[in-house]
Amino acid sequence: MKVKLFIWLAVWKRCWTADRLARRGLPHPVACPTCDQEAEDIRHTLSGCVFARKIWFNALRLIGLQELAPTRREPSFQEWWRRASARAPRDMRKGFNTMVLLVA
Ligand SMILES: [Zn+2]
């Protein structure tokens, strides 16, 4: 249930990332606390950050699907997930989607 709630919050951009904190006038980091290279939003945190992309690459390499790891220019986490899931072999798609839920 926690995973489902987190993914729902991420898809609807309801996670308390810097962009959301800024919109509410709350203290927030200027750049991503992990990479210090770009502004932090949920897209960056889950699929755009250099560290996130490394995690995806290494996790997907375990099942031989590292070529589906997100690139730096993904428009959104859910768009990357949708396209990557469609590219995953049919017999591995359910496992791929489970991995995405758990890694995210
Ligand atoms: Zn980052």
Side-chain angles (χ1 to χ4, degrees):
M1 196 61 181
K2 288 179 181 178
V3 172
K4 284 183 179 179
L5 177 60
F6 174 74
I7 293 296
W8 184 88
L9 290 170
V11 166
W12 290 99
K13 297 183 172 77
R14 298 283 177 102
C15 294
W16 287 105
T17 49
D19 63 324
R20 190 158 195 244
L21 292 169
R23 282 197 307 272
R24 300 285 172 103
L26 298 170
H28 60 280
V30 175
C32 169
T34 309
C35 70
D36 199 29
Q37 294 177 3
E38 293 182 41
E40 183 197 49
D41 58 22
I42 197 63
R43 181 211 61 84
H44 177 79
T45 301
L46 290 179
S47 59
C49 183
V50 64
F51 292 102
R53 287 183 285 119
K54 187 166 180 64
I55 289 169
W56 285 115
F57 183 87
N58 288 333
L60 292 171
R61 187 171 57 185
L62 296 172
I63 59 172
L65 296 177
Q66 64 273 14
E67 74 274 5
L68 300 180
T71 63
R72 187 166 186 230
R73 300 287 176 217
E74 299 297 341
S76 68
F77 169 71
Q78 62 267 33
E79 179 61 20
W80 163 74
W81 185 8
R82 186 190 62 74
R83 283 189 289 108
S85 180
R87 289 177 52 207
R90 186 176 299 276
D91 62 332
M92 297 179 74
R93 196 163 292 155
K94 190 172 181 179
F96 171 81
N97 288 328
T98 298
M99 179 173 258
V100 169
L101 290 169
L102 297 175
V103 171

